[in-house]
Amino acid sequence: TRRLFVEGHIFLILDGLDEVSEGMRASVNQHIRDILQPYHQSRYAFSCRLPLELPFANHFQRTIIAPFNAKQRAAYVRCWFSGAFIKNGHTHDNDDVAQRFLERLSRHVNLGELTRTPILLDLLCMVFRDHNMFPPTRTDVYDWGLRSLLNDRARRLRDGHALKQLSIDDTRSLLQKIAAKFFLLPQPQSLFKQGEVEDEIRVYLGDRFDTADNHLPETRRIIEDLELTYGLLIQQAANFCSFSHLTFQEFFTAQYLVNTDQHALVHDHIFNAQWRFVIELVAELLSANQAESFFQSYKQVIDNSINSNDKLRRFVRWVDETADRVVSTIRGKMPHKSVLIRAWYYAFSLENLFVSQNVGYVSTRFEFPDFDYAASTITGQTLELHSLFYQAYHMTETTSPQREARLKTEKYNGQYSQEFGFAPAEAKNNYQRFTQIVDSIYMAVRDNPGLENRITAWKDTIRIQRQNYRLPQDWWQNERQGWRNKISGFMESIFGLQCRWNFSDQEKAQLRAYYDATKLLSICMNRAFHSLPPSLYEALAEELLRPMVEQVHEVDDRDWRG
């Protein structure tokens, strides 16, 4: 095996990293490093449902798995209905039903997301088969689909089955309690001991039925029937159980939290990636009476996460002021333009982002951008110029002394190795990209004589400096910090673009977490669009990436929207 790894004949796929508990993640990451470093010739793929920031994946290509396209979706639907009608003995023309499904789906644009993955499309097919219509929300797809599944399978239960004594609603309630029992632990569990599941079933039966009844079903037989009949709870190994798909456990947990009026618990887990899907489902399940306080509390929680740090608070305030100053230069009508500009400066100030050339805003509902695509959601002449300066500034970022020393001492096949043996791109390419960016800046400011003269001086300085070094990478290594100071000073004095924040790694992580939590808030707002009052939705959307805690105290504790 070691020889195959060394010779590069292994393609190793590791799936489900988002399901590793926080307590185990550091250990798991170290084990992965132990494989990657000596065996860098082989190929590796890491897959997870949530967009994790993996510390060992800096030099991996990040890819989002494509959803079903129209052709794949149609093929899946036709196969599904063909198999479903044959298996269940229906006499309808399955091709007609599948075609009717696809025709109606084409008229329900808002259901597009529900057909992106097989598990949701499967439930949607099941619902359409039983109701001849589509549910209005994503949670209704789960709700109606699971009810159809339970009703279908319940017909197979004979008198001897343990679940025969439980109604469909009892079975759902039991599954909700089991799901929540293990998800609401300090570290959510997707694999749980069978004995603990039996204890939870025993408690439920005691609360639901007369404890003196000697005919209560055995807990172990209930687990067996849940697996054999419904396929929702399954035995994974000796004395261990799990839900057949993590999504089912998350949905049942969200239902439990809303039904028991404990939905505020999710505010303690806004920054926990394992809770992301549950939080989205909870937001969608809320009633109109619950939604307002839920979202106000959500906004306060994420604002409080940075209010204790003066530097972070100043950064977010600067982003807000800069967006207000630039918004008048951006043409075009789009909802909450200032918020999109805020996201642009927030993300570009922290990282050198890729800027797409195919910018367009086609959604009729406001969509807050992902961090990696914040620079591609909105564009304008001012933003395009600022993006060039930000790119030049980020290219001058120096490597830590510890990492520089390691790059000089670690060699592989005569080349400097990176963390896992790959040739360092920054030593070869950054100085070339930097000079190209300076050329692009020059082309962008030619209509402004004052700026053109300054950038011309930059180009002359680069030419003169290069003459003093034998290799261009030597020039880059020695002069990079000087150019960093020159560019940041220019951006601050000419454009008012603050660059030298000197954030620590922990502060950068806090800012990224704040952004990601804001993105999740926007998703939840759209999920709960049916229960959120329009005025509250607009107020929340306008205040994204703008902390409101200080304003609340300034208006004598009146409603924060005031």
Side-chain angles (χ1 to χ4, degrees), residues 1-17:
T1 303
R2 183 178 294 109
R3 179 177 58 80
L4 292 174
F5 267 106
V6 170
E7 295 176 355
H9 296 307
I10 295 293
F11 179 35
L12 182 63
I13 306 175
L14 298 177
D15 179 50
L17 290 178

Side-chain angles (χ1 to χ4, degrees), residues 405-420:
R406 191 170 79 249
L407 289 177
K408 291 180 180 179
T409 56
E410 293 181 358
K411 293 188 177 182
Y412 190 86
N413 289 340
Q415 293 181 334
Y416 293 139
S417 67
Q418 274 190 332
E419 191 169 0
F420 307 124

Side-chain angles (χ1 to χ4, degrees), residues 360-377:
Y361 201 87
V362 296
S363 175
T364 57
R365 184 179 300 176
F366 175 68
E367 299 282 352
F368 188 78
D370 291 324
F371 185 92
D372 295 327
Y373 302 103
S376 300
T377 307

